[in-house]
DNA sequence: CCTTTAAATGCAACACGGTTGCATTTAAAA
DNA sequence: TTTTAAATGCAACCGTGTTGCATTTAAAGG
């Protein structure tokens, strides 16, 4: 399914920056840092980029990963839909080359603690990627 | 062990802001948002606060939790030492009242994926705390 | 207790991403 | 083609992170 169709299916108007974002993020399975996204899409205003990312996240087309320094990384959602935005994956950052990738988890993780009710879990791991070790 | 002794033991000079930070974070088992920390310690320059937090983190006396919006939360380290800064806990944020707390995990978590080597893992969960559900 | 010095602090300044308001443009429905 | 709600661009502000540098201070040594 092409990007335009995907947008329409999620009640989003087909615009240049939306196609550009989906195109950029679709070129790799890695998560892209915000700064790189902004550089690639420099022809657009950064406010527009900001709001477009919000819109695409809200519709579950993309998701954001936060690294320890607070840097944001964005990636396409392959396992999300409008109804259930669920991530059965963790975000892994290679401390050597710096790439961030989504890694599928074998099964849904369940944590529990007395008294509390857990809705969602985010996992961020660091180490060496397959190219760097 | 009092704060001054703790600082000396970690080769840190005993200064007013360091005592104040340890005192503030020690008053609760919850993690404090940066903004609250800055408000409480408004008598000190924010650069000093910034560098002091870095120093205390480097020595393993405190640690930082990042929430989804990128907000930083700080808490004392109870299970860290100079040699092994390890967290067998996750950070839990109540989406109702907003408090962030460290929750001990029953056992060390192990994840693996083909080709990659994982050094450390950070887990952030969201849901309702015991007061709010 | 006094001197010395490396470390800590305060201040200024800048970078960057997040965020909002508002006027203009545009996608797409009628 | 007209219409309109949505999307965009621009300006502006905020908070946090970060660095350089001059001043102050903790604490070691005499």
């Amino acid at each position: 399914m092409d990007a335009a169709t995907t947008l329409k299916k999620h009640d989003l108007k087909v615009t240049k920056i939306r196609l550009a974002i989906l195109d950029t993020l679709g070129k790799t399975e890695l998560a892209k840092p915000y700064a790189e996204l902004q550089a690639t899409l420099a022809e657009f205003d950064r406010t527009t980029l900001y709001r477009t990312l919000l819109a695409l996240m809200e519709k579950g087309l993309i998701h954001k990963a936060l690294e320890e320094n607070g840097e944001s990384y964005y990636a396409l959602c392959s396992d999300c839909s409008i109804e259930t935005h669920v991530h059965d994956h963790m975000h892994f950052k290679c401390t050597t080359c710096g790439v961030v990738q989504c890694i599928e988890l074998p099964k849904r993780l369940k944590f529990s603690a007395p008294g509390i009710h857990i809705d969602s879990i985010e996992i961020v791991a660091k180490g060496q990627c397959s190219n760097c070790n």
Side-chain angles (χ1 to χ4, degrees), chain A residues 34-102:
Chain A
Y34 171 80
E36 192 179 321
L37 214 47
Q38 193 177 313
T40 305
L41 306 169
E43 62 176 302
F44 305 100
D45 187 83
R46 74 184 191 88
T47 307
T48 303
L49 174 58
Y50 164 69
R51 281 194 267 236
T52 306
L53 290 173
L54 280 186
L56 295 180
M57 280 191 288
E58 200 174 332
K59 295 296 184 177
L61 295 182
I62 65 175
H63 66 277
K64 174 162 71 169
L66 272 180
E67 289 306 312
E68 79 175 324
N69 50 355
E71 235 190 329
S72 299
Y73 287 75
Y74 294 88
L76 287 187
C77 281
S78 55
D79 52 353
C80 301
S81 66
I82 309 180
E83 312 81 39
T84 58
H85 186 74
V86 174
H87 287 151
D88 276 341
H89 68 258
M90 66 179 182
H91 294 115
F92 171 79
K93 175 163 191 172
C94 175
T95 51
T96 303
C97 69
V99 302
V100 173
Q101 52 186 306
C102 304

Side-chain angles (χ1 to χ4, degrees), chain A residues 19-30 32 40 76:
Chain A
L19 291 174
I21 289 177
L22 293 181
D23 181 55
T24 301
L25 293 184
K27 283 197 172 139
T28 168
E29 74 282 6
L30 301 178
K32 273 206 190 319
T40 305
L76 287 187

